[in-house]
Amino acid sequence: MYGDDLMKGNLPLSNDAMDQRRQKFLYELNTSGKYFAFKEQLKNSVIKIVREKYLNTTAFVDKEKLQAFLSELYVFLIDQMHAALNKFLSSEETPEEPPPVTDTATLKHFAREAEVNQNFELAAKYYQERLSRSKNDPDHWFDYGTFCLLIGDYGKAEECFKETLSIAQKHVPGLLMYGCMALMNERYEEAETFFEAATCTESKSVIAWTMLGLYFDSIQNDIGAERAFLEANRFNVATPPSVALEETATIAAELEGFVPESGAEDPSGEGAHGTGTTEAPRLPEVYAGQRRREEAAPGGAALPPSVVISSETPVGKPIIKTVPQSSKQGSRVPSPGSTQRQSPTQELEQAVPPKEKPALVKPNASIFLQTANFLLEVNALQLTDAALAHELVASNGSPGGDYYVLLGRLKIQQKNFIEAEENLKQAIAVKHENPDAWGLMGHLNYLTSKTEEARECYERTLDYTTEASDMHAIYLRLASIYLEQGEFEKAKATFLKACIRSPSCVSWLGVGIACYRLGDLAEAEDALSEANILNNKDAEVWSYLSLICLQTGRQLEAEQSYKYALKLNLQDEKLLAEIHQTQQRVGFGNPMVA
């Protein structure tokens, strides 16, 4: 209404003039219907705030409570309005927003952790969240495809691998896995096309050549299989030290992806998938760590690629907050939509945690062991059998411990626990001090409800100086066993080790439960707050927060936490009964009971 006058500097600033403009502005809002339209737009947002922040879903009976609530809501909305206006009016001076608490690598770690806990619904949500953040990242589609293979949804898995290749035609793991899917569906010509495309894209990939050989072997093309296996073995031979650095740098540059120079493009203008894309995208984590492993290997030889959860997760510094008693009077329970982190007054002192081992196989292992390890990581179990069978033949019936470890891992994923136990015992017989074999034996006992045996295996694994490949899963399962057996000090210490290595909602929840059972309510609340930041939709976290608030006499927060626990469908009947008993003892906490 007054924009032109304002830009020209002709706007009078006297009190009478400003009051006149204000009246004209309000008149325009009411007569044009814009005020009503604005009010309707705001209504849904305000209703959501009332329901989610203040937990009010029913009408007020007491007028005094209604007025008090309206006053509190009005103050909150005005504060939010001023915050929005300040941000708008001083956008140039506004500092950069902090990065999100969970990035895509952390979400993948959470998804793998949910897979370990066999919570596939939660794992699917994490993978879908990664896709929603970036649908043009081929790694996100590839990882979701491997998850679909794990749960047996082969149709969706093939669609994910197809989407991977539509984004990045030179995505080597995507080419290999789409070839596997075509082979499973007996589309042999298509499978051969994609396996050969992988060897052309990365001519020195041991796994690509080995999988091409396995394909030829499956269709009884002995000449093609022998040729492919010879190529794989040629690239798997240890490099002489004099040329190790030069070849390592060359291979690493090719594995990590590059943009072709002008004149080096495909003369047809088409990529491996025929879409005309010439830019080679970044390869996924399966190959991203190849350079580091090659440099660490004796003689600079290539190590087998693999997908390792915690090696992709950035090292975070977990925090246990010690809050002064005076601050306990305010609200300490965040709403499910809140991700604001409270300022701690004391941080958990820690050393930089060691990284996870990249694979279950040793440097310069046979081509079949490397390929079997890769296939197990991506849940392609059908071809894993063939790779291990070739390893058995190549070793003249006397394979090493790594063979039995991978075979035992395959049988566990196939839920053939009897054969898995026999294979792992053979691996231990070959080499008694094998942390991977003992760790897998612990997982086997854990899955078959042999708690005491699982505990012994996990503790033996931790005693070795060489770490197992999946230390995070070992820490979580061992700590949960301690928790079940009432050894809360050991449970707390073990969960904290998992937090130091790669913090997650599950690990911080374990710390919170252990601290609560030990009677340390302040540390328990701090740990649960950390868990809530990482995942504010875990019913068990809200349940223990409600218990803590009941114990410390904070009625409103206890009721809020209890409502969220019920809303998120708390399944633990014992925990629910404990909450009800505590509510009856203290006389508050259940808003459903008058």
Side-chain angles (χ1 to χ4, degrees), residues 315-318 348-354 497 499-501:
V315 176
K317 192 169 186 179
L348 179 65
E349 296 297 332
Q350 63 180 50
V352 177
K497 290 179 181 178
C499 291
I500 292 172
R501 179 174 293 273

Side-chain angles (χ1 to χ4, degrees), residues 71-90:
S71 299
E72 185 179 359
L73 177 63
Y74 177 77
V75 171
F76 173 77
L77 294 176
I78 291 297
D79 288 342
Q80 292 298 307
M81 180 192 72
H82 284 302
L85 285 175
N86 290 336
K87 183 178 179 181
F88 175 76
L89 295 175
S90 58

Side-chain angles (χ1 to χ4, degrees), residues 300-356:
L303 302 190
S306 63
V307 181
V308 180
I309 299 171
S310 59
S311 66
E312 297 160 9
T313 306
V315 176
K317 192 169 186 179
I319 297 170
I320 284 188
K321 300 177 288 185
T322 305
V323 182
Q325 191 64 29
S326 60
S327 66
K328 296 283 185 182
Q329 305 301 324
S331 175
R332 291 288 307 277
V333 182
S335 65
S338 171
T339 58
Q340 185 175 1
R341 200 186 190 97
Q342 298 184 9
S343 299
T345 58
Q346 183 178 359
E347 294 186 351
L348 179 65
E349 296 297 332
Q350 63 180 50
V352 177
K355 294 184 178 179
E356 299 282 3

Side-chain angles (χ1 to χ4, degrees), residues 58-298:
T58 57
F60 285 90
V61 179
D62 191 340
K63 290 186 177 181
E64 292 183 0
K65 291 184 177 180
L66 173 61
Q67 290 301 321
F69 168 74
L70 291 177
S71 299
E72 185 179 359
L73 177 63
Y74 177 77
V75 171
F76 173 77
L77 294 176
I78 291 297
D79 288 342
Q80 292 298 307
M81 180 192 72
H82 284 302
L85 285 175
N86 290 336
K87 183 178 179 181
F88 175 76
L89 295 175
S90 58
S91 58
E92 295 181 357
E93 301 175 1
T94 304
E96 295 183 1
E97 294 184 1
V101 177
T102 54
D103 56 15
T104 55
T106 307
L107 287 174
K108 181 178 178 179
H109 167 60
F110 291 168
R112 289 300 184 91
E113 187 179 71
E115 291 177 15
V116 170
N117 296 329
Q118 297 185 328
N119 190 346
F120 299 125
E121 183 178 355
L122 180 60
K125 289 181 179 178
Y126 283 128
Y127 282 119
Q128 291 164 4
E129 173 68 18
R130 295 177 80 224
L131 285 173
S132 66
R133 293 193 182 188
S134 177
K135 290 186 177 181
N136 293 324
D137 191 324
D139 295 349
H140 295 177
W141 286 103
F142 180 81
D143 294 335
Y144 190 38
T146 61
F147 169 73
C148 293
L149 280 181
L150 176 65
I151 62 177
D153 193 344
Y154 300 111
K156 185 177 290 186
E158 184 171 352
E159 290 297 321
C160 290
F161 297 137
K162 185 183 295 184
E163 190 69 27
T164 301
L165 296 178
S166 69
I167 298 171
Q169 292 76 32
K170 295 184 179 181
H171 193 282
V172 176
L175 291 168
L176 293 175
M177 290 312 300
Y178 194 82
C180 288
M181 300 307 299
L183 181 59
M184 287 170 53
N185 294 314
E186 299 182 354
R187 304 196 305 268
Y188 297 115
E189 292 184 4
E190 191 175 351
E192 182 176 351
T193 299
F194 282 92
F195 285 136
E196 289 188 343
T199 59
C200 292
T201 302
E202 179 42 66
S203 60
K204 297 182 180 180
S205 172
V206 173
I207 291 176
W209 280 110
T210 307
M211 290 183 66
L212 179 61
L214 292 175
Y215 159 75
F216 282 134
D217 185 71
S218 69
I219 61 173
Q220 299 180 353
N221 184 344
D222 296 336
I223 296 176
E226 184 177 359
R227 170 182 164 271
F229 291 149
L230 285 173
E231 286 293 309
N233 278 309
R234 184 164 67 90
F235 292 121
N236 194 46
V237 174
T239 308
S242 59
V243 294
L245 293 178
E246 181 181 354
E247 291 194 1
T248 295
T250 304
I251 295 173
E254 293 174 352
L255 286 174
E256 294 188 6
F258 61 92
V259 179
E261 299 177 357
S262 58
E265 300 175 353
D266 188 351
S268 64
E270 296 183 349
H273 208 256
T275 60
T277 303
T278 58
E279 182 178 349
R282 176 178 62 85
L283 292 179
E285 290 86 348
V286 173
Y287 290 93
Q290 184 83 6
R291 183 174 187 173
R292 294 189 300 273
R293 293 195 293 273
E294 287 170 346
E295 292 173 347

Side-chain angles (χ1 to χ4, degrees), residues 487-537:
E487 300 186 35
F488 302 122
E489 286 287 357
K490 288 185 177 180
K492 176 184 175 182
T494 309
F495 273 124
L496 278 173
K497 290 179 181 178
C499 291
I500 292 172
R501 179 174 293 273
S502 46
S504 66
C505 176
V506 175
S507 58
W508 278 116
L509 171 61
V511 175
I513 295 174
C515 291
Y516 176 79
R517 299 303 178 192
L518 290 169
D520 193 342
L521 300 184
E523 279 198 14
E525 185 173 0
D526 294 333
L528 293 169
S529 297
E530 292 291 331
N532 215 3
I533 290 171
L534 295 172
N535 179 13
N536 55 16
K537 294 184 179 179

Side-chain angles (χ1 to χ4, degrees), residues 62 83 90 99 130 174 212 224 264 300 365 389 446 474 519 552 554 563:
D62 191 340
S90 58
R130 295 177 80 224
L212 179 61
Y446 186 88
I474 292 173
T552 53
R554 289 138 59 191
K563 282 184 177 180

